Amino acid sequence: MSKSNADLLKEAIDVYLSSLKYLDNFVSEPATKYGLSFEQYLILHTIAEQDNVSLMDIASERRVTRSAISRQIKVLLQHDYIYQKPAESDRRRLYLHLTPTGKETEKKVNDLITARFDRWISRYGDEKVKAILQFIRVFAAEEMQNTTYASK
């Protein structure tokens, strides 16, 4: 590795440790006030936004396993944020619904996240935020195509 590439790697690690971890906290912190991970909040939000959504629908949408969503659903059930109701046409299919507490919690977390994001846009401007998001989208898409990092 050249000296300039080694310096860039050191800088990338520093940015990750000092900044990108903050971005994760920036997004997830409002949900933690209500005993939720950000992923659990996103599931709650999906249930709030869609009628007749099932565990399988969410797993498919997020491109994760059924068991990964099932673990998150279990926490939401324990917090009394959601309940499951069998579909009329197929009693084996369970639809997810928000409880009154779940509706209130989803709205509060959504309001907190929205306010944070609005402040972020005000501070940096629409164009810079769009550019950052576009770079992340392109970076992720290209790197996901190249998921095998064989040491060469």
Side-chain angles (χ1 to χ4, degrees):
M1 179 181 288
S2 71
K3 167 98 171 91
S4 63
N5 284 0
D7 290 344
L8 282 174
L9 174 58
K10 185 178 183 309
E11 188 174 347
I13 291 169
D14 183 54
V15 165
Y16 170 75
L17 292 173
S18 64
S19 303
L20 292 179
K21 281 185 169 181
Y22 165 76
L23 187 58
D24 180 45
N25 289 338
F26 173 85
V27 170
S28 64
E29 191 267 334
T32 61
K33 291 181 179 183
Y34 296 91
L36 298 172
S37 69
F38 189 64
E39 284 295 321
Q40 291 159 352
Y41 161 72
L42 289 176
I43 292 169
L44 205 62
H45 186 69
T46 297
I47 296 167
E49 296 284 307
Q50 297 178 27
D51 291 329
N52 297 328
V53 65
S54 71
L55 184 151
M56 286 304 295
D57 296 331
I58 295 170
S60 177
E61 178 183 300
R62 303 230 191 292
R63 297 182 190 109
V64 297
T65 64
R66 182 183 186 281
S67 63
I69 297 300
S70 183
R71 286 189 296 273
Q72 305 300 336
I73 295 290
K74 184 177 178 182
V75 173
L76 296 173
L77 288 165
Q78 289 171 343
H79 279 65
D80 193 36
Y81 289 152
I82 65 169
Y83 66 94
Q84 298 175 317
K85 184 177 176 185
E88 297 286 326
S89 60
D90 181 355
R91 307 288 295 165
R92 294 170 299 172
R93 185 172 172 87
L94 296 174
Y95 288 131
L96 304 169
H97 302 276
L98 298 180
T99 64
T101 303
K103 286 179 185 175
E104 182 181 335
T105 300
E106 189 280 331
K107 182 179 179 346
K108 287 179 179 178
V109 175
N110 190 55
D111 290 348
L112 288 169
I113 290 171
T114 300
R116 278 183 154 208
F117 195 72
D118 285 346
R119 286 190 302 273
W120 198 47
I121 292 171
S122 294
R123 186 175 305 134
Y124 300 106
D126 283 7
E127 292 308 311
K128 190 173 271 188
V129 171
K130 287 177 185 176
I132 290 167
L133 295 174
Q134 180 61 20
F135 171 77
I136 292 170
R137 191 176 294 116
V138 168
F139 178 82
E142 288 180 14
E143 291 305 312
M144 285 170 54
Q145 286 179 2
N146 197 9
T147 56
T148 314
Y149 290 99
S151 52
K152 295 182 180 180

